[in-house]
Amino acid sequence: MSRAITTASRLFPRRISTEDLKKFDVPTLILHGDDDQIVPIGAAGLMSAKLVKKSALKVYPGFPHGMCTTNPDQINADLLEFIKA
């Protein structure tokens, strides 16, 4: 796990800050699984939804951090619905 975190931190050296999120001014879909063990929903999804002005938060019960891989049909359907709206 440590090696994966180190690699990820090199690939993504800058994280989006709360000040960055406050600047979003376009409709934004925030997706988060409530069983994410890597980035807990309270530390990311819920906070982001409060900070991004025009956001919609979609919480997936029981979905993990890699929900785009484990549940692609559901995620893709929700993304398509949001884009079409």
Side-chain angles (χ1 to χ4, degrees):
M1 180 66 114
S2 174
R3 184 175 178 185
I5 292 170
T6 302
T7 301
S9 66
R10 275 191 242 136
L11 292 173
F12 305 103
R14 183 179 179 280
R15 295 189 176 153
I16 295 175
S17 72
T18 55
E19 292 307 311
D20 292 330
L21 291 172
K22 291 176 185 178
K23 294 175 188 174
F24 281 41
D25 65 354
V26 296
T28 304
L29 179 60
I30 298 168
L31 308 175
H32 210 112
D34 72 356
D35 194 32
D36 188 332
Q37 302 295 307
I38 307 298
V39 181
I41 191 168
L46 300 177
M47 182 188 71
S48 296
K50 290 179 184 176
L51 295 172
V52 176
K53 296 176 193 106
K54 300 176 186 177
S55 68
L57 173 63
K58 177 99 176 151
V59 177
Y60 296 90
F63 282 24
H65 182 76
M67 66 185 189
C68 295
T69 301
T70 59
N71 304 85
D73 293 339
Q74 180 67 55
I75 301 300
N76 289 333
D78 292 339
L79 286 171
L80 188 57
E81 180 182 336
F82 180 76
I83 292 166
K84 287 181 174 181

